[in-house]
Amino acid sequence: MAKHDIRTDRNGVAIDGYDAVAYFTDGVATKGNPSHSHVWRGATWHFTSDENAATFAEDPERYCPQFGGSCAFGSSLGMPLKGSPKAWRIVDDQLFFLKAGPVRSLSHAFTGHISKAANK
């Protein structure tokens, strides 16, 4: 996948402060805590524990949402819409965010758009 800018809030926090590792380990979107953080690619990432922060620090590319946190479906159409940390899927061991609402209901069909978005 091509490098994409990491989407951050106005304070430089990635993925609205959600724990990127928890999607893989717990299978749920979990808000992180600023006391467990790590800075990577100019963004501050929050985690639920020091252990998750250390896991992320060891291999951030593995846990970072694809397309920098932009909606995977929107990216496939050339529209880098903000993805929602609450509307997510893991496909082929990679984390993808979708825009909330109707796009999430179509998320089962978006897998064919992943390679198209990666090539934009």
Side-chain angles (χ1 to χ4, degrees), residues 3 19-20 27 30 34 70-71 73 78 90 96-97 103 110 116 120:
K3 289 262 190 203
D19 183 334
T30 307
S70 292
C71 172
F73 189 76
I90 294 176
F96 295 90
F97 287 167
V103 174
F110 96 102
K116 183 177 178 183
K120 289 212 179 262

Side-chain angles (χ1 to χ4, degrees), residues 10-56:
R10 68 181 185 278
N11 297 314
V13 176
I15 65 173
D16 294 338
Y18 280 78
D19 183 334
V21 175
Y23 292 100
F24 293 89
T25 59
D26 301 336
V28 295
T30 307
K31 198 77 159 169
N33 185 316
S35 65
H36 308 292
S37 64
H38 177 74
V39 176
W40 178 68
R41 287 186 53 199
T44 301
W45 301 76
H46 293 172
F47 301 93
T48 57
S49 66
D50 286 336
E51 179 182 18
N52 280 11
T55 297
F56 181 87

